[in-house]
């Protein structure tokens, strides 16, 4: 068996060891696409949040948005680091019992 088909694009990015900034960008685009937030300013990145939040947000998307609710840069960095740790742990849990090598090859084929 190749692995869990149900990985999101973000989770597949983590599995394939994409750079953190790429994973963060994928999460940003995801929350924007779902209508959970919009970009207020690009540099520095600031978000406007919709209320109520969409019901279909993944846990890592919720944590990402929560990190951007704070104006304290150090706290935001800590929150985003914790979000990434949680995301990596979640992907590891989903991969239990599956071949990482075969799953990476499967997602690489999908991307290409």
């Amino acid at each position: 068996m190749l692995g869990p088909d149900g990985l999101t694009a973000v989770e597949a990015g983590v599995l394939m060891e994409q750079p953190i900034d790429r994973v963060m960008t994928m999460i940003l685009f995801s929350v924007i696409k779902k209508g959970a937030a919009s970009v207020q300013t690009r540099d520095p990145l600031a978000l406007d949040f919709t209320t109520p939040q969409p019901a279909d947000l993944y846990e890592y998307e919720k944590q990402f948005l929560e990190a951007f609710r704070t104006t304290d840069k150090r706290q935001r960095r800590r929150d985003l680091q914790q979000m990434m740790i949680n995301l990596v742990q979640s992907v590891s849990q989903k991969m239990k019992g599956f071949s990482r090598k075969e799953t990476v090859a499967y997602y690489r084929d999908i991307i290409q």
Side-chain angles (χ1 to χ4, degrees):
M1 182 135 205
L2 293 178
D5 282 338
L7 292 182
T8 66
V10 169
E11 291 168 332
V14 169
L15 177 70
M16 297 179 71
E17 299 176 353
Q18 293 295 307
I20 290 175
D21 61 334
R22 177 176 274 168
V23 172
M24 294 282 191
T25 301
M26 291 169 69
I27 296 171
L28 174 62
F29 283 132
S30 177
V31 298
I32 290 170
K33 183 177 178 186
K34 289 181 178 182
S38 60
V39 175
Q40 183 181 47
T41 61
R42 291 176 69 144
D43 193 14
L45 181 61
L47 302 177
D48 286 321
F49 306 97
T50 58
T51 306
Q53 289 284 279
D56 62 344
L57 293 176
Y58 292 103
E59 191 59 34
Y60 58 82
E61 293 169 328
K62 293 175 188 175
Q63 292 171 1
F64 179 86
L65 291 171
E66 196 57 39
F68 274 91
R69 289 185 194 278
T70 183
T71 55
D72 182 334
K73 289 181 183 179
R74 283 187 218 147
Q75 184 61 46
R76 179 179 294 168
R77 180 180 290 267
R78 285 191 294 270
D79 291 348
L80 290 173
Q81 286 172 339
Q82 188 60 54
M83 179 215 64
M84 284 302 300
I85 290 167
N86 295 345
L87 180 55
V88 169
Q89 289 173 342
S90 171
V91 170
S92 294
Q93 279 298 114
K94 287 184 176 188
M95 288 302 300
K96 282 200 187 299
F98 294 100
S99 164
R100 183 187 180 288
K101 182 180 176 184
E102 290 179 21
T103 304
V104 167
Y106 170 78
Y107 281 102
R108 190 167 284 128
D109 285 346
I110 288 174
I111 290 169
Q112 292 174 355

